Amino acid sequence: HSHDAKRVKAGLYLDSRAALLLGGDTGPAIVPGKSKLSLLIKAISYLDNDLQMPPKKRLPVSVVQDFEQWIDWGAPW
């Protein structure tokens, strides 16, 4: 999900704050200050069988919590 990648899934770029706010095919990846509304959290938490990142293995709970905290802080870049 980088602008340097040859192929990007779901039109989603994750390499800048602006890209996260814009999101991809399913909408904004993050909602600053509202981690529970952020698709990124939904995906990395494996809360939806159709939306799981990374696709092969779940991230540790502590890493997901770090992302939640970062988004709740307003997602400073």
Side-chain angles (χ1 to χ4, degrees):
H1 296 287
S2 166
H3 282 91
D4 294 332
K6 291 181 182 179
R7 185 170 160 249
V8 176
K9 290 185 178 183
L12 178 62
Y13 294 96
L14 301 175
D15 55 357
S16 73
R17 187 174 194 273
L20 286 164
L21 294 172
L22 180 63
D25 297 346
T26 57
I30 62 169
V31 179
K34 299 179 180 180
S35 63
K36 299 300 182 207
L37 299 179
S38 297
L39 287 174
L40 179 65
I41 298 303
K42 184 178 180 181
I44 66 174
S45 298
Y46 275 51
L47 297 175
D48 182 331
N49 288 336
D50 297 324
L51 182 64
Q52 296 179 343
M53 292 186 347
K56 296 183 186 210
K57 183 179 175 190
R58 288 179 85 157
L59 295 173
V61 171
S62 62
V63 172
V64 174
Q65 290 171 337
D66 288 343
F67 274 99
E68 289 173 334
Q69 187 174 35
W70 171 68
I71 292 170
D72 286 338
W73 287 343
W77 201 256

